[in-house]
């Protein structure tokens, strides 16, 4: 479903090479965890995979449609229509209602009329916000905002979803609801790439994980396999520190 | 098309809910046009453009005061003889000027007309002083000899001429802040009044003296004696035709004021006619602040990231934003022109006349709004923070407005500033509006400026598109 080969990306002004030959493949219905310390290249990888940023080299296909081949854009609109993005920030207009936000993002994906209204209703119900459809995002709690943020990313029923730390700063109930949603996407054969700093989340949710550091994947596999192969780590958290070190990353 | 519609609807809803933004977009230009038009109207009055009030302390209450009053009115200055029911005298008039309520107090002292008449009579006598009497005799050695050579008539004439310089002075109390052009205008009106009356009095005096002098000359030529008796003098005077004085003040040359205009449009522009479009443009260009803010907010909060991820082009997003804000500009122009037409006249200014070329004016409005909106998008794309945009945006607009002739007419600027002015989009837009509203031009007149505005907009949008697409 999601296939990336030899992705390279550098920021010449900052003198940073963010991705150094990154390769990954995510199957339909699979949750793929992308773990790494701050500055490891996770957000750059997600931005390139979602078609937001151009790689310097490498190729990406989404559901067999090429989105980038080298630094050239391929069939971007067709591939982008299959992608759902849930950014780390609450990327919603604070003074628009939940429904108005959904309507705007839905229209960007070509939805209109009754289909759009039905999808909005369906998605808001799915994230438990049907009663607050006409409330402004401004008036939502942190958890509600996170759920609305997810709803805006799945409105067009994408085949591949990129979730960038979707559970930051929310309570246990909202987190649990989000986990249930992800399970539901999984059941509908949606491929997902999930980044998080919460190792227990990754261990619980992800079918496979990749630990990325300095723009390279330094370990890849199922969480259980990776932990079992380690000599010292007892869980994913321990393995992560073993692989990336205890030195602070700012 | 769906995406374009989505962006337009979203922008309009966001604007509707942004009260501060609405204040900047609608209230600010409306208040600006209102205040500046009213203030400028007064300034133009001060510059002699239309009737400004002064106080007149007419202690003479005779012809000189009446004449001065008429000529002030002709010069567009309203002389007030009473203020709040009180008759103006010198002390009150000075006080009113000192308080800054009136720019000038004119004091005509008691007996000024009579004194003027008396002096005119004395001067008229000079006309009948024999030339040989007035003519300077050849220079003779020694002062006493020279004095002796002067006959009585000559001395009298010199005395009269000397005395005529010591006039009954008309007092002028100017506010020190009064503009030079206003001072000149008031002084000219006074000079005209005094000179006109002086000529009239002299003619009258001449008319009185001439028949008597003629009667004496006739009597003398008859050879019957040197001095006629009163009866003979009166009968001889009756034979000389009376001199009429009505023709004295009739102008020989008429000055006709003509306005430079096209297509036979002859309306003389009012301050409103120039201020409404000028300050409307200034206010409308301030749309760059909320526009840039909207774009920066989307980038900072991640909405732009989501838009980038959607299957639409950045061009659609930019065009959608531009279209939404163009509608807002249209509403701004409508509101401000409505104010010029209906609200400002209620406050004593002339009505704003749109004139016959409404579609040409609409074309200018669209091009100007497009330029403002495009600049706003570029500012939003180029600025990293809202603070940058909210600092640079207004400063650049104020500079462009000043250069464009919004605050001071371009012709009043130093020549090197006039050259720079040619590069201000506000100048292109304002000149186009003035061409249509003031000089009677149409689309054929303003197309070069409209082309420049369109080129500016295209350049801004292209630069914004490049900046926003650079990922």
């Amino acid at each position: 479903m999601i296939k990336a080969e030899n992705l390279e990306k550098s920021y010449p002004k900052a003198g940073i090479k963010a991705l150094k030959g990154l390769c990954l493949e995510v199957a339909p219905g699979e949750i793929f965890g992308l773990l790494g310390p701050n500055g490891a290249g996770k957000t750059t990888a997600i931005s390139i995979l979602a078609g937001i940023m151009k790689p310097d080299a490498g190729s990406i296909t989404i559901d067999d449609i090429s989105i980038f081949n080298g630094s050239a854009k391929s069939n971007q609109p067709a591939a982008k229509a299959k992608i759902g993005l849930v950014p780390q920030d609450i990327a919603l207009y604070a003074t628009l209602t939940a429904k108005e936000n959904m309507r705007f993002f839905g229209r960007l994906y070509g939805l209109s009329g009754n289909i759009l209204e039905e999808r909005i209703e369906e998605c808001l119900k799915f994230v438990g916000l049907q009663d607050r459809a006409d409330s402004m995002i401004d008036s939502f709690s942190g958890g509600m905002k996170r759920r609305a943020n997810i709803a805006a990313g799945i409105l067009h029923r994408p085949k591949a979803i990129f979730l960038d730390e979707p559970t930051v700063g929310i309570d246990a109930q909202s987190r649990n609801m989000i986990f249930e949603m992800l399970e539901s996407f999984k059941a509908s054969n949606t491929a997902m790439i999930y980044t998080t700093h919460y190792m227990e989340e990754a261990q619980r949710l992800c079918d496979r994980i990749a630990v990325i550091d300095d723009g390279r994947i330094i370990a890849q596999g199922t969480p259980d396999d990776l932990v079992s192969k380690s000599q010292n780590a007892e869980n994913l958290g321990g393995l992560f520190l073993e692989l990336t070190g205890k030195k602070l990353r700012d | 098309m769906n995406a374009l519609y989505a962006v337009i609807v979203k922008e309009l809803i966001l604007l509707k809910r942004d009260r501060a933004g609405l204040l900047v977009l609608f209230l600010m230009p409306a208040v600006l046009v209102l205040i500046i038009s009213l203030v400028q109207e007064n300034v133009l009055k001060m510059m002699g453009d239309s009737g400004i009030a002064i106080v007149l302390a007419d202690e003479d209450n005779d012809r000189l005061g009446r004449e001065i009053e008429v000529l002030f009115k002709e010069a567009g200055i309203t002389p007030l003889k009473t203020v709040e029911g009180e008759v103006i005298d010198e002390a009150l008039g000075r006080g009113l000027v000192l308080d800054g309520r009136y720019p000038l107090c004119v004091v005509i002292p008691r007996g000024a007309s009579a004194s003027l008449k008396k002096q005119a009579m004395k001067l008229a006598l000079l006309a009948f002083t024999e030339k040989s009497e007035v003519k300077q005799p050849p220079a003779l050695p020694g002062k006493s000899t020279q004095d002796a050579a002067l006959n009585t008539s000559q001395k009298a004439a010199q005395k009269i001429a000397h005395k005529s310089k010591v006039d009954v002075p008309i007092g002028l109390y100017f506010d020190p802040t009064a503009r030079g052009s206003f001072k000149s205008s008031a002084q000219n009106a006074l000079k005209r009044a005094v000179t006109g009356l002086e000529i009239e009095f002299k003619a009258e005096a001449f008319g009185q003296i001439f028949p008597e002098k003629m009667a004496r000359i006739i009597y003398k030529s008859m050879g019957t004696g040197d001095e006629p008796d009163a009866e003979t003098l009166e009968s001889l005077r009756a034979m000389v035709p009376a001199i009429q004085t009505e023709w004295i003040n009739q102008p020989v040359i008429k000055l006709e004021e003509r306005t430079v205009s096209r297509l036979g449009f002859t309306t003389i522009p009012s301050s409103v006619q120039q201020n409404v479009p000028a300050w409307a443009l200034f206010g409308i260009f301030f749309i760059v602040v909320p526009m840039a803010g909207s774009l920066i907010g989307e980038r900072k909060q991640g909405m732009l990231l989501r838009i980038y991820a959607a299957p639409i082009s950045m061009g659609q997003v930019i065009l959608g934003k531009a279209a939404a804000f163009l509608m807002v500009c249209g509403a701004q122009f409508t509101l401000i022109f409505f104010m010029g037409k209906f609200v400002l006249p209620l406050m004593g200014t002339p009505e704003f006349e749109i004139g016959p070329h409404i579609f040409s004016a609409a074309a200018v409005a669209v091009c100007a709004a497009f330029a403002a909106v495009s600049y706003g998008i570029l500012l939003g794309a180029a600025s990293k923070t809202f603070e940058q945009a909210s600092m640079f945006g207004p400063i650049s607009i104020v500079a462009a407005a000043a250069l464009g002739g919004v605050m001071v007419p371009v012709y009043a600027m130093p020549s090197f500033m006039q050259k720079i002015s040619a590069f201000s989009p506000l100048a292109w837009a304002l000149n186009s509006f003035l061409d249509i509203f003031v000089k009677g031009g149409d689309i054929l007149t303003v197309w070069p400026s409209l082309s420049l505005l369109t080129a500016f907009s295209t350049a801004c949008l292209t630069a914004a598109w490049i900046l926003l697409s650079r990922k």
Side-chain angles (χ1 to χ4, degrees), chain B residues 54-320:
Chain B
I54 62 149
V55 283
L56 178 64
D58 187 5
E59 293 170 353
D60 181 45
N61 259 324
D62 205 339
R63 281 181 66 182
L64 185 58
R66 287 197 294 275
E67 199 70 21
I68 285 173
E69 212 176 332
V70 168
L71 284 169
F72 265 142
K73 281 178 185 166
E74 277 178 15
I77 297 167
T78 309
L80 301 174
K81 285 178 151 182
T82 58
V83 169
E84 290 156 12
E86 261 191 275
V87 177
I88 308 288
D89 59 14
E90 187 171 356
L92 177 64
R94 279 177 62 181
L96 288 167
V97 173
L98 204 62
D99 292 345
R101 288 178 62 187
Y102 296 95
L104 168 65
C105 169
V106 177
V107 181
I108 306 171
R110 196 180 306 278
S113 297
S115 164
L116 191 64
K117 201 168 185 173
K118 201 172 163 187
Q119 282 172 38
M121 181 63 86
K122 284 176 183 173
L123 287 168
L125 278 169
L126 276 176
F128 294 96
T129 308
E130 280 179 37
K131 213 171 181 182
S132 59
E133 292 177 310
V134 180
K135 200 178 168 185
Q136 195 73 18
L140 295 169
K143 193 174 179 291
S144 57
T145 324
Q146 196 173 338
D147 280 348
L150 288 170
N151 60 38
T152 322
S153 298
Q154 198 177 354
K155 279 180 186 170
Q158 280 182 349
K159 211 184 258 178
I160 291 165
H162 176 70
K163 272 191 177 175
S164 71
K165 285 173 191 166
V166 188
D167 209 343
V168 177
I170 294 174
L172 296 179
Y173 294 103
F174 275 108
D175 183 327
T177 62
R179 298 176 74 99
S181 55
F182 169 73
K183 282 183 178 175
S184 310
S185 176
Q187 279 166 347
N188 281 339
L190 274 171
K191 276 178 193 163
R192 272 187 66 199
V194 173
T195 311
L197 209 58
E198 202 177 294
I199 292 170
E200 212 173 305
F201 282 162
K202 279 177 186 168
E204 275 175 22
F206 185 79
Q208 280 172 24
I209 297 164
F210 180 73
E212 190 180 321
K213 285 279 178 188
M214 283 304 291
R216 286 180 192 280
I217 290 165
I218 293 166
Y219 183 78
K220 212 171 178 179
S221 66
M222 284 161 68
T224 47
D226 280 347
E227 199 61 36
D229 55 46
E231 198 180 330
T232 315
L233 187 65
E234 192 54 45
S235 60
L236 286 172
R237 270 178 68 172
M239 289 168 67
V240 180
I243 294 174
Q244 302 300 320
T245 56
E246 285 76 18
W247 56 274
I248 296 291
N249 283 328
Q250 294 302 313
V252 177
I253 297 169
K254 191 183 171 192
L255 300 178
E256 191 177 286
E257 188 175 329
R258 291 171 192 167
T259 309
V260 177
S261 66
R262 292 184 177 89
L263 308 171
F265 187 85
T266 53
T267 306
I268 296 166
S270 66
S271 63
V272 169
Q273 208 66 10
Q274 301 183 47
N275 279 325
V276 167
W279 292 95
L281 278 171
F282 181 73
I284 279 156
F285 264 78
F286 264 83
I287 204 167
V288 302
V289 177
M291 274 212 79
S294 138
L295 208 51
I296 293 164
E298 281 177 336
R299 194 167 56 222
K300 290 268 170 205
Q301 290 155 36
M303 280 85 89
L304 208 55
L305 212 62
R306 204 164 226 156
I307 293 168
Y308 281 137
I312 58 161
S313 70
M314 190 38 65
Q316 283 174 292
V317 179
I318 291 174
L319 280 181

Side-chain angles (χ1 to χ4, degrees), chain A residues 126-229:
Chain A
F126 184 68
V127 298
L129 290 172
Q130 69 274 30
D131 297 336
R132 300 295 300 273
D134 294 315
S135 301
M136 284 191 204
I137 297 295
D138 234 2
S139 66
F140 283 11
S141 69
M144 287 161 81
K145 283 179 184 168
R146 285 273 161 213
R147 275 144 50 203
N149 204 27
I150 293 173
I154 60 166
L155 198 65
H156 56 290
R157 293 183 181 161
K159 296 271 185 189
I161 304 178
F162 299 93
L163 300 114
D164 196 0
E165 301 185 39
T167 57
V168 172
I170 56 170
D171 61 16
Q173 285 77 12
S174 287
R175 179 174 287 136
N176 187 57
M177 188 174 196
I178 290 172
F179 290 167
E180 284 173 7
M181 279 192 271
L182 299 183
E183 291 295 343
S184 158
F185 298 148
K186 188 176 157 72
S188 63
N189 267 343
T190 308
M192 283 170 276
I193 293 185
Y194 187 95
T195 75
T196 183
H197 286 295
Y198 304 127
M199 295 301 144
E200 69 283 10
E201 259 184 37
Q203 191 144 15
R204 179 187 155 178
L205 279 172
C206 299
D207 299 303
R208 284 190 304 133
I209 60 157
V211 179
I212 180 171
D213 198 12
D214 194 26
R216 285 193 187 89
I217 291 178
I218 53 173
Q220 192 171 178
T222 65
D224 291 344
D225 272 359
L226 288 172
V227 172
S228 65
K229 280 177 192 166

Side-chain angles (χ1 to χ4, degrees), chain A residues 52-54 77 80 85 87 89-93 95-96 100 104-105 107-112 136 149 152-153, chain B residues 2-3 5-7 9-10 13-14 17 298 300-303 305-312 469-471:
Chain A
I52 295 167
M53 195 186 273
K54 271 195 294 189
K80 281 182 166 183
L85 177 69
D89 297 316
I90 307 296
L92 298 169
Y93 295 94
T95 53
L96 295 189
E100 286 165 347
F104 170 63
F105 289 112
R107 281 177 182 146
L108 296 188
Y109 284 88
L111 301 174
S112 61
M136 284 191 204
N149 204 27
Chain B
N2 204 21
Y5 173 70
V7 177
V9 171
K10 179 259 297 177
I13 299 174
L14 286 172
R17 300 211 176 123
E298 281 177 336
K300 290 268 170 205
Q301 290 155 36
M303 280 85 89
L305 212 62
R306 204 164 226 156
I307 293 168
Y308 281 137
I312 58 161
S469 303
R470 211 167 54 184
K471 313 188 274 274

